[in-house]
Amino acid sequence: MRLKGKVAIVTGGARGLGKAYAMGLSREGARVVIADVLDTKEARQAIEKQGGEVLALHTDVSDEKSTNEMAQRAIESFGRIDVLINNAAIFASIVKKPFYELSGQEWDDVIRVNLKGTFLCCKAVYPQMKKQGRGKIINISSGTWFKGATHFIHYVTSKAGVVGLTRALAREIGVDGISVNAVAPGFTLSEAVREKPMDTDEMVRAVAESRCFKRDEQPNDLIGTILFLACEDSDFITGQTIVVDGGSAMH
Ligand code: NAD
């Protein structure tokens, strides 16, 4: 119970990796806020079933009014905010295509949610974390930007931006006792990826082959690193990006 008494917000927590993080944080004793544009009922019930306390919110991370409300509701319900996992993103719905076929609108939509959304959520929780004199922000990047993965350049660029934001914000708010780190998952067989594969079986096999550990990545492979960054064990670590991909990308 490394997070007993703590409150953690997980954006994009209705399904997939976000839901897995929320369930993992809850098992460690945290009270969890899941914030998503999707229906959060299933995730909420899954957390309650394992005995956890959860607040489920309809939140659009790209809308400042909505992110401020998210922070406000978390404070009203649980009295504090200790951890923010910026996991919400436009990802599984992306149809891969060459960069010159991408419209300006597609570019804007992905940058607005994945990058501006991360910024807005950090901004929303900051006053409370500052007041508490401590906080843990964990931004979800991706292994794709290490590799320059092709055919979803808007996504790859947004996840590179998340690393820049992580470093700059860590320097700015370390003085307030708040750590800002990023996790870069490799290609992971999350719920949405399983339901609607973005890549051919051959490409998925090639990703597994590129790793030191030659297998597919599963949501559970990420939980330990998220918990580590969320709890006191990582208290002197900030501004870092941890790649969790079985040893494919290295930096
Ligand atoms: P996913 O698409 O199922 O999860 C994204 C979640 O964000 C969904 O629940 C979605 O509803 C939510 N969301 C989208 N727009 C939102 C908005 N405006 N406001 C609030 N919530 C919003 O995909 P996933 O595989 O579970 O990925 C989760 C995270 O991990 C994403 O940040 C993704 O970029 C990252 N990631 C995934 C992989 C992978 O291979 N699965 C690899 C690297 C990084």
Side-chain angles (χ1 to χ4, degrees), residues 62 90 105-118 153-159 161:
S62 68
I90 295 183
Q105 189 61 53
E106 284 172 294
W107 175 275
D108 284 349
D109 289 346
V110 165
I111 299 295
R112 195 184 72 248
V113 174
N114 299 12
L115 196 48
K116 183 183 170 195
T118 299
I153 201 164
H154 50 345
Y155 175 81
V156 175
T157 306
S158 73
K159 292 298 183 175

Side-chain angles (χ1 to χ4, degrees), residues 11-18 21 35-38 59-62 86-93 113-114 140-144 155 159 184-193:
T11 69
R15 69 172 186 199
L17 301 183
Y21 301 152
D36 205 307
V37 282
L38 288 181
T59 303
D60 177 354
V61 296
S62 68
N86 275 312
N87 165 81
I90 295 183
F91 169 63
S93 59
V113 174
N114 299 12
I140 303 301
S141 178
S142 159
T144 53
Y155 175 81
K159 292 298 183 175
F187 179 69
T188 308
L189 300 184
S190 63
E191 219 171 309
V193 167

